[in-house]
Amino acid sequence: MKQANCIIIGGGIAGIQAAIQLGRYKHDIIVIDSAQGRSSIAKAYHNILGWPDGVSGSQLRNLGRQQAEKSGVKFLDDKVTTLEKIEDKFIVSTKKDSQYQADTIFLATGITDNIPPIKNLYSTLGTSTYICPDCDGHEITDKQTVVIGGGTTGVKMSLSLLYWSKNILYVNHLKTTIDEKEREKLKEGQIPLIEEKVEEVLVDDEHQLTGIQLESGRIIEASKAFTAFKGNKLNNELALQLGVQVNENDHVVTHPRTKETNITGVWAGGDLIAHSEQVTISMGDGTQAAIWIHKRLLGHPLPYD
């Protein structure tokens, strides 16, 4: 059975940042990644220091992986299926029937966005279709923008986007019931409401959104879009297997200074522990956790009461 000082589960932004830091400490580190994280589908992040023209999630991941590998970090393309603690060691089993033993664990399994399989939608994510207004609201400034969503979730997104553009249109793709109070809010914001399924996202030769085609065949022109669907899946199954504490929203609870969970030897970071959904915060979580994992591996006491 292969052994490591730390096994990082999840090779997204938080996981890779932790790997870089731990690799520089010269620890034996394994990253197990199923390549299904949200950063793998994001075509461009625009609010990250040093990337004024944006950077894709895949580019960040590839560069980060190369950086970590220079320090001896090993990456495995696999999916962890079970995680258990036996005495003071952790046993990790994977989909490819491999087993590993670790002194410590960093959970960076994140969330999976609920994005419907609308034709051409995925090809525009991060460049002209967005998910997070805190990340990309600025990109729609004064532009005709369509919100593709469901029910009240789409109403809330549409109203929040008025901060950047007054040209917002909401398509209730799921045809979910919207009560009169929410409808009145849309009217007050002068946001047209269309309750019809989106058949296709229309794109130009560079895969930039030019509009949408509805189920009826009607075409709505727009240069930007946001998706707004509830039901994002928090990937906390492995944490729950170990008895890791979660909050009322099912996010993993960690110590604010160290990022260690209630299970000694298990740390967590990124979207798994908070609803910030920010690359830069995930980076910080990865680095912060790695520093304290290093201290634990050296036998130093951690700042707990």
Side-chain angles (χ1 to χ4, degrees):
M1 185 185 301
K2 176 65 177 177
Q3 300 187 25
N5 296 129
C6 181
I7 289 180
I8 297 170
I9 304 175
I13 304 303
I16 292 176
Q17 185 64 59
I20 290 170
Q21 186 71 22
L22 286 167
R24 290 170 60 83
Y25 286 133
K26 300 183 179 180
H27 292 301
D28 186 7
I29 308 300
I30 296 174
V31 180
I32 304 177
D33 181 42
S34 61
Q36 296 178 336
R38 61 182 352 206
S39 59
S40 64
I41 63 172
K43 299 295 187 299
Y45 295 110
H46 299 278
N47 64 337
I48 301 175
L49 176 67
W51 300 92
D53 297 321
V55 58
S56 70
S58 61
Q59 184 178 1
L60 271 181
R61 288 162 65 106
N62 290 338
L63 289 172
R65 182 165 176 163
Q66 293 171 26
Q67 189 174 350
E69 287 174 334
K70 286 182 178 180
S71 298
V73 175
K74 299 176 182 65
F75 284 80
L76 303 176
D77 299 323
D78 202 347
K79 182 176 182 178
V80 176
T81 54
T82 61
L83 175 60
E84 58 182 331
K85 187 175 185 180
I86 300 178
E87 295 181 352
D88 61 344
K89 299 292 182 181
F90 296 92
I91 306 300
V92 175
S93 300
T94 73
K95 188 176 182 179
K96 294 181 179 179
D97 294 325
S98 297
Q99 275 198 332
Y100 305 90
Q101 180 177 293
D103 300 313
T104 59
I105 296 289
F106 180 59
L107 295 172
T109 47
I111 63 174
T112 301
D113 290 291
N114 179 20
I115 303 175
I118 298 171
K119 184 178 179 181
N120 294 328
L121 178 59
Y122 276 79
S123 68
T124 65
L125 288 175
T127 57
S128 50
T129 300
Y130 311 103
I131 299 171
C132 169
D134 294 311
C135 307
D136 296 308
H138 176 78
E139 303 302 315
I140 71 162
T141 300
D142 299 329
K143 294 181 173 64
Q144 178 64 49
T145 302
V146 59
V147 174
I148 305 170
T152 301
T153 303
V155 172
K156 291 180 179 178
M157 175 68 79
S158 300
L159 293 171
S160 70
L161 294 177
L162 288 174
Y163 182 83
W164 291 280
S165 175
K166 303 305 179 186
N167 299 313
I168 306 295
L169 181 146
Y170 174 34
V171 177
N172 186 9
H173 172 78
L174 298 181
K175 303 178 185 177
T176 309
T177 301
I178 301 173
D179 63 33
E180 285 304 317
K181 184 177 180 180
E182 298 301 316
R183 290 175 183 272
E184 190 60 36
K185 290 179 182 179
L186 290 175
K187 290 178 183 178
E188 291 174 1
Q190 299 183 349
I191 298 173
L193 171 64
I194 297 175
E195 302 195 74
E196 189 176 341
K197 183 178 178 181
V198 177
E199 190 70 26
E200 179 181 353
V201 169
L202 305 177
V203 297
D204 59 20
D205 292 339
E206 297 180 350
H207 275 275
Q208 295 293 311
L209 181 142
T210 61
I212 60 171
Q213 181 175 323
L214 301 177
E215 191 175 31
S216 63
R218 178 184 174 186
I219 292 176
I220 298 173
E221 294 183 355
S223 60
K224 300 291 183 181
F226 263 84
T227 63
F229 297 94
K230 66 178 181 180
N232 290 349
K233 180 180 178 295
L234 190 62
N235 301 315
N236 63 2
E237 296 88 352
L238 295 175
L240 294 176
Q241 283 182 23
L242 279 178
V244 169
Q245 180 185 355
V246 297
N247 63 20
E248 64 277 5
N249 294 320
D250 293 327
H251 287 90
V252 167
V253 176
T254 62
H255 188 278
R257 184 173 177 188
T258 68
K259 302 302 176 185
E260 190 173 20
T261 71
N262 64 301
I263 302 299
T264 301
V266 179
W267 280 257
D271 291 334
L272 184 63
I273 72 171
H275 193 66
S276 61
E277 302 184 4
Q278 294 291 314
V279 168
T280 48
I281 292 176
S282 292
M283 287 179 175
D285 287 347
T287 298
Q288 190 173 0
I291 290 171
W292 294 100
I293 291 171
H294 169 64
K295 292 180 185 296
R296 173 65 57 74
L297 291 171
L298 292 182
H300 296 170
L302 270 61
Y304 301 145
D305 295 331

